[in-house]
């Protein structure tokens, strides 16, 4: 095994050589006077990716899960009511985290494959006339089902009844790959991590914190220590860190932001859409179905695909790994055994996507799926051939 094949899991994602090189550094002193040159522009430039001018960016050693925990513990108190919908494994795990922090969690149960139901959020918010609900949570891109939700619709539901709750959004598998607008959508806590759209190794939680959320730290009673926003923000303000930062991830993040800005965020989003479209066309050519129930919900970073009746998706992903050395995402939670996932975010090109489509076709053929070799590849080829410009492929 050469380890040279790309991965098609929806995170951690493929790391471009430029970012591997950027993370491969000699130990560097985070208390040296030049650390300011790395940290300060980094925190400023991250705001452009979150699309916030008024928010503060906080990074912690950790992963997305640490970002969830930080967003909750810094801004809420045990017993606080929070409203959240469950439509996949990641929204489920965030709910579990809230419950274990002794929040009073109102769960809107949804079918997996659907997205955050703005209308049902609206009903709960309208009924909450004495404003007991302190936080409204949603997962922008549900990585288990390949569903993107309309966060702006939830913000509008909140504003329609002048509800003062804060809006918490998991954008771990969407930020830097699909459009995300922290200020415009009135997001108070936006949680992300280093290993998806930023194309880096796992190891950092990256959180956007609104002014309102920062103010909530004053009164929030949940215990926190390592993940304290105010301690981090105060240290960062003078280019310091309250403990040892993962400097190689910070130098990697610098290079990642440079790559994203050189390509242009809008072009990054357009590339993700195009690559995802090619994959969706292949899925349809195979006669298979996406978990996402309607096109408006299709994620441009991950596709979850039901295998035909009588087949086990875990057998398929194991076979692809064992025979072709290629990883695809397994079905999670309710999807276990029923669906596999193709991650197509971060460092991804048409050529890489075609290799993934071809590899999973071979694996399906080996296992006697009713799929014709080349059927998915050819429709994706046709689509990419017509939609790729030379400039786009160079930038990716
Ligand atoms: C990957 C991911 C997370 C975070 O998981 P970690 O493994 O802790 O980084 C959270 N939410 C979503 C939607 C994700 O895709």
């Amino acid at each position: 095994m050469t380890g040279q094949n790309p991965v098609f899991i929806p995170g951690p994602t493929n790391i471009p050589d430029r970012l591997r090189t950027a993370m491969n550094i000699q130990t560097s002193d985070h208390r040296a006077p030049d650390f300011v040159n790395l940290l300060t522009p980094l925190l400023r430039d991250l705001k452009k990716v979150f699309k916030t001018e008024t928010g503060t960016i906080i990074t912690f050693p950790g992963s997305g899960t640490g970002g969830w925990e930080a967003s909750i513990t810094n801004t809420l108190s045990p017993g606080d009511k929070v409203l959240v919908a469950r439509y996949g494994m990641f929204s489920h795990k965030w709910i579990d985290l809230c419950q274990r922090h002794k929040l009073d969690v109102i769960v809107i149960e949804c079918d997996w494959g659907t997205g955050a139901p703005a209308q049902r959020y609206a009903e709960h918010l309208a009924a909450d006339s004495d404003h007991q609900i302190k936080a409204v949570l949603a997962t922008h891109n549900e990585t288990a089902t390949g569903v993107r939700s309309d966060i702006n619709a939830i913000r509008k539901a909140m504003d329609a009844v002048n509800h003062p709750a804060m809006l918490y959004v998991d954008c771990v598998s969407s930020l830097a790959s699909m459009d995300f607008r922290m200020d415009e959508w009135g997001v108070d806590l936006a949680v992300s991590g280093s290993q998806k759209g930023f194309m880096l190794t796992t190891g950092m939680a990256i959180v956007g914190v609104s002014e309102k959320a920062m103010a909530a730290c004053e009164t929030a009673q949940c215990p926190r220590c390592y993940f304290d926003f105010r301690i981090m923000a105060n240290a960062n303000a003078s280019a310091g860190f309250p403990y040892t930062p993962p400097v190689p991830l910070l130098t990697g993040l610098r290079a990642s932001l440079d790559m994203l800005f050189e390509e242009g965020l809008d072009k990054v989003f357009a590339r993700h859409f195009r690559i995802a479209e090619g994959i969706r066309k292949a899925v349809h050519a195979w006669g298979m179905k996406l978990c996402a129930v309607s096109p408006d919900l299709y994620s441009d970073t991950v596709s979850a695909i039901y295998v035909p009746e009588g087949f086990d998706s875990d057998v398929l992903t194991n076979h692809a790994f064992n025979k072709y050395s290629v990883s695809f995402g397994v079905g999670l939670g309710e999807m276990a055994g029923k669906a596999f996932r193709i991650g197509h975010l971060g460092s991804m090109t048409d050529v890489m996507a075609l290799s993934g489509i071809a590899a999973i076709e071979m694996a399906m053929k080996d296992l006697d799926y009713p799929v014709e070799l080349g059927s998915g590849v050819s429709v994706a080829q046709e689509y990419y051939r017509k939609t790729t410009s030379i400039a786009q492929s160079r930038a990716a």
Side-chain angles (χ1 to χ4, degrees), residues 10-12 62-68 89-91 93-94 139-144 170-174 191-196 202-205 301-302 332 341 345:
S63 71
T65 306
W68 282 342
M89 198 62 186
F90 290 89
S91 39
K93 286 172 97 174
W94 204 9
T139 299
H140 184 212
N141 189 73
E142 177 48 80
T143 318
D170 172 334
C171 54
V172 182
S173 63
S174 54
V191 177
S192 192
S194 53
Q195 82 274 26
K196 310 244 167 126
T202 316
M204 214 157 54
T301 62
V302 53
L332 295 175
R341 294 172 300 149
L345 74 159

Side-chain angles (χ1 to χ4, degrees), residues 50-99:
F50 281 83
K51 297 194 177 162
T52 182
E53 290 189 355
T54 51
T56 303
I57 306 299
I58 301 273
T59 67
F60 292 114
S63 71
T65 306
W68 282 342
E69 180 157 328
S71 67
I72 296 303
T73 56
N74 278 279
T75 56
L76 295 168
S77 304
D80 277 354
K81 244 190 200 21
V82 307
L83 176 66
V84 53
R86 171 159 41 213
Y87 39 88
M89 198 62 186
F90 290 89
S91 39
H92 167 72
K93 286 172 97 174
W94 204 9
I95 289 168
D96 176 57
L97 186 141
C98 290
Q99 288 169 335

Side-chain angles (χ1 to χ4, degrees), residues 116-129:
Q119 185 53 39
R120 290 172 69 192
Y121 277 91
E123 286 158 16
H124 280 278
L125 292 164
D128 183 44
S129 49

